[in-house]
PDB file of all heavy atoms in Angstrom:
ATOM      1  N   GLU A  10     153.545 -47.359-115.100  1.00  0.00           N
ATOM      2  CA  GLU A  10     154.826 -46.690-114.852  1.00  0.00           C
ATOM      3  C   GLU A  10     154.661 -45.482-113.943  1.00  0.00           C
ATOM      4  O   GLU A  10     155.500 -45.204-113.083  1.00  0.00           O
ATOM      5  CB  GLU A  10     155.494 -46.299-116.179  1.00  0.00           C
ATOM      6  CG  GLU A  10     156.058 -47.501-116.928  1.00  0.00           C
ATOM      7  CD  GLU A  10     156.739 -48.512-116.002  1.00  0.00           C
ATOM      8  OE1 GLU A  10     157.666 -48.109-115.253  1.00  0.00           O
ATOM      9  OE2 GLU A  10     156.331 -49.702-116.001  1.00  0.00           O
ATOM     10  N   GLY A  94     157.663 -63.163-103.678  1.00  0.00           N
ATOM     11  CA  GLY A  94     158.562 -62.049-103.395  1.00  0.00           C
ATOM     12  C   GLY A  94     158.198 -61.308-102.126  1.00  0.00           C
ATOM     13  O   GLY A  94     157.706 -61.913-101.181  1.00  0.00           O
ATOM     14  N   ARG A  98     152.311 -54.888 -97.257  1.00  0.00           N
ATOM     15  CA  ARG A  98     151.206 -55.029 -96.306  1.00  0.00           C
ATOM     16  C   ARG A  98     150.788 -53.644 -95.837  1.00  0.00           C
ATOM     17  O   ARG A  98     151.428 -53.077 -94.949  1.00  0.00           O
ATOM     18  CB  ARG A  98     151.633 -55.861 -95.107  1.00  0.00           C
ATOM     19  CG  ARG A  98     152.223 -57.227 -95.458  1.00  0.00           C
ATOM     20  CD  ARG A  98     151.159 -58.284 -95.481  1.00  0.00           C
ATOM     21  NE  ARG A  98     151.666 -59.591 -95.842  1.00  0.00           N
ATOM     22  CZ  ARG A  98     151.140 -60.344 -96.823  1.00  0.00           C
ATOM     23  NH1 ARG A  98     150.117 -59.905 -97.535  1.00  0.00           N
ATOM     24  NH2 ARG A  98     151.627 -61.527 -97.084  1.00  0.00           N
ATOM     25  N   GLY A 181     144.068 -79.389-128.240  1.00  0.00           N
ATOM     26  CA  GLY A 181     143.404 -80.543-128.846  1.00  0.00           C
ATOM     27  C   GLY A 181     144.394 -81.567-129.405  1.00  0.00           C
ATOM     28  O   GLY A 181     144.112 -82.766-129.434  1.00  0.00           O
ATOM     29  N   THR A 183     147.648 -82.008-128.287  1.00  0.00           N
ATOM     30  CA  THR A 183     148.504 -82.609-127.265  1.00  0.00           C
ATOM     31  C   THR A 183     147.821 -82.454-125.911  1.00  0.00           C
ATOM     32  O   THR A 183     146.749 -81.858-125.821  1.00  0.00           O
ATOM     33  CB  THR A 183     149.901 -81.946-127.238  1.00  0.00           C
ATOM     34  OG1 THR A 183     150.701 -82.592-126.240  1.00  0.00           O
ATOM     35  CG2 THR A 183     149.826 -80.472-126.907  1.00  0.00           C
ATOM     36  N   SER A 275     135.542 -51.070 -78.364  1.00  0.00           N
ATOM     37  CA  SER A 275     134.315 -50.388 -78.755  1.00  0.00           C
ATOM     38  C   SER A 275     133.509 -49.938 -77.546  1.00  0.00           C
ATOM     39  O   SER A 275     132.535 -49.215 -77.686  1.00  0.00           O
ATOM     40  CB  SER A 275     133.464 -51.322 -79.617  1.00  0.00           C
ATOM     41  OG  SER A 275     133.155 -52.475 -78.875  1.00  0.00           O
ATOM     42  N   LEU A 283     132.466 -41.364 -68.695  1.00  0.00           N
ATOM     43  CA  LEU A 283     133.442 -41.707 -67.663  1.00  0.00           C
ATOM     44  C   LEU A 283     133.100 -40.997 -66.364  1.00  0.00           C
ATOM     45  O   LEU A 283     133.170 -41.564 -65.273  1.00  0.00           O
ATOM     46  CB  LEU A 283     134.853 -41.350 -68.132  1.00  0.00           C
ATOM     47  CG  LEU A 283     135.975 -41.786 -67.186  1.00  0.00           C
ATOM     48  CD1 LEU A 283     135.924 -43.290 -66.941  1.00  0.00           C
ATOM     49  CD2 LEU A 283     137.338 -41.404 -67.745  1.00  0.00           C
ATOM     50  N   ALA A 422     135.556 -81.851 -73.104  1.00  0.00           N
ATOM     51  CA  ALA A 422     136.433 -80.677 -73.258  1.00  0.00           C
ATOM     52  C   ALA A 422     136.162 -79.622 -72.190  1.00  0.00           C
ATOM     53  O   ALA A 422     136.918 -78.678 -72.017  1.00  0.00           O
ATOM     54  CB  ALA A 422     136.239 -80.055 -74.641  1.00  0.00           C
ATOM     55  N   GLY A 523      90.788 -44.031 -62.405  1.00  0.00           N
ATOM     56  CA  GLY A 523      90.836 -45.439 -61.993  1.00  0.00           C
ATOM     57  C   GLY A 523      92.260 -45.962 -61.948  1.00  0.00           C
ATOM     58  O   GLY A 523      92.491 -47.115 -61.619  1.00  0.00           O
ATOM     59  N   VAL A 531     105.614 -45.465 -58.293  1.00  0.00           N
ATOM     60  CA  VAL A 531     106.296 -46.467 -57.472  1.00  0.00           C
ATOM     61  C   VAL A 531     106.601 -47.698 -58.322  1.00  0.00           C
ATOM     62  O   VAL A 531     107.699 -48.260 -58.277  1.00  0.00           O
ATOM     63  CB  VAL A 531     105.417 -46.859 -56.254  1.00  0.00           C
ATOM     64  CG1 VAL A 531     106.082 -48.006 -55.475  1.00  0.00           C
ATOM     65  CG2 VAL A 531     105.188 -45.657 -55.350  1.00  0.00           C
ATOM     66  N   ALA A 565     142.264 -60.463 -46.282  1.00  0.00           N
ATOM     67  CA  ALA A 565     142.859 -61.799 -46.375  1.00  0.00           C
ATOM     68  C   ALA A 565     142.644 -62.559 -45.067  1.00  0.00           C
ATOM     69  O   ALA A 565     142.335 -63.752 -45.073  1.00  0.00           O
ATOM     70  CB  ALA A 565     144.346 -61.682 -46.687  1.00  0.00           C
ATOM     71  N   TYR A 572     137.671 -69.947 -43.608  1.00  0.00           N
ATOM     72  CA  TYR A 572     138.049 -71.276 -44.095  1.00  0.00           C
ATOM     73  C   TYR A 572     138.442 -72.195 -42.938  1.00  0.00           C
ATOM     74  O   TYR A 572     137.933 -73.300 -42.786  1.00  0.00           O
ATOM     75  CB  TYR A 572     139.203 -71.126 -45.088  1.00  0.00           C
ATOM     76  CG  TYR A 572     139.645 -72.411 -45.732  1.00  0.00           C
ATOM     77  CD1 TYR A 572     138.831 -73.053 -46.648  1.00  0.00           C
ATOM     78  CD2 TYR A 572     140.890 -72.966 -45.445  1.00  0.00           C
ATOM     79  CE1 TYR A 572     139.238 -74.233 -47.256  1.00  0.00           C
ATOM     80  CE2 TYR A 572     141.310 -74.135 -46.047  1.00  0.00           C
ATOM     81  CZ  TYR A 572     140.482 -74.768 -46.956  1.00  0.00           C
ATOM     82  OH  TYR A 572     140.882 -75.922 -47.559  1.00  0.00           O
ATOM     83  N   THR A 637     121.673 -80.747 -42.038  1.00  0.00           N
ATOM     84  CA  THR A 637     120.888 -80.122 -40.961  1.00  0.00           C
ATOM     85  C   THR A 637     121.103 -80.838 -39.631  1.00  0.00           C
ATOM     86  O   THR A 637     121.026 -80.225 -38.579  1.00  0.00           O
ATOM     87  CB  THR A 637     119.391 -80.122 -41.309  1.00  0.00           C
ATOM     88  OG1 THR A 637     119.055 -81.388 -41.857  1.00  0.00           O
ATOM     89  CG2 THR A 637     119.060 -79.042 -42.314  1.00  0.00           C
ATOM     90  N   ILE A 644     130.235 -80.466 -48.514  1.00  0.00           N
ATOM     91  CA  ILE A 644     130.421 -80.139 -49.928  1.00  0.00           C
ATOM     92  C   ILE A 644     130.098 -81.336 -50.820  1.00  0.00           C
ATOM     93  O   ILE A 644     129.759 -81.185 -51.994  1.00  0.00           O
ATOM     94  CB  ILE A 644     131.856 -79.594 -50.186  1.00  0.00           C
ATOM     95  CG1 ILE A 644     131.916 -78.816 -51.512  1.00  0.00           C
ATOM     96  CG2 ILE A 644     132.896 -80.695 -50.165  1.00  0.00           C
ATOM     97  CD1 ILE A 644     131.155 -77.512 -51.504  1.00  0.00           C
ATOM     98  N   GLU A 661     124.733 -97.770 -42.026  1.00  0.00           N
ATOM     99  CA  GLU A 661     123.739 -98.205 -41.046  1.00  0.00           C
ATOM    100  C   GLU A 661     122.742 -99.171 -41.689  1.00  0.00           C
ATOM    101  O   GLU A 661     122.466-100.246 -41.167  1.00  0.00           O
ATOM    102  CB  GLU A 661     122.974 -96.973 -40.555  1.00  0.00           C
ATOM    103  CG  GLU A 661     123.141 -96.650 -39.086  1.00  0.00           C
ATOM    104  CD  GLU A 661     122.391 -95.365 -38.760  1.00  0.00           C
ATOM    105  OE1 GLU A 661     121.180 -95.413 -38.475  1.00  0.00           O
ATOM    106  OE2 GLU A 661     123.042 -94.303 -38.845  1.00  0.00           O
ATOM    107  N   ALA A 696     115.444 -93.598 -47.089  1.00  0.00           N
ATOM    108  CA  ALA A 696     115.836 -95.011 -47.090  1.00  0.00           C
ATOM    109  C   ALA A 696     115.812 -95.568 -48.510  1.00  0.00           C
ATOM    110  O   ALA A 696     116.713 -96.303 -48.924  1.00  0.00           O
ATOM    111  CB  ALA A 696     114.907 -95.796 -46.180  1.00  0.00           C
TER     112      ALA A 696
END
Side-chain angles (χ1 to χ4, degrees):
E10 287 319 304
R98 306 268 179 232
T183 181
S275 60
L283 185 57
V531 175
Y572 183 70
T637 43
I644 199 69
E661 244 177 86

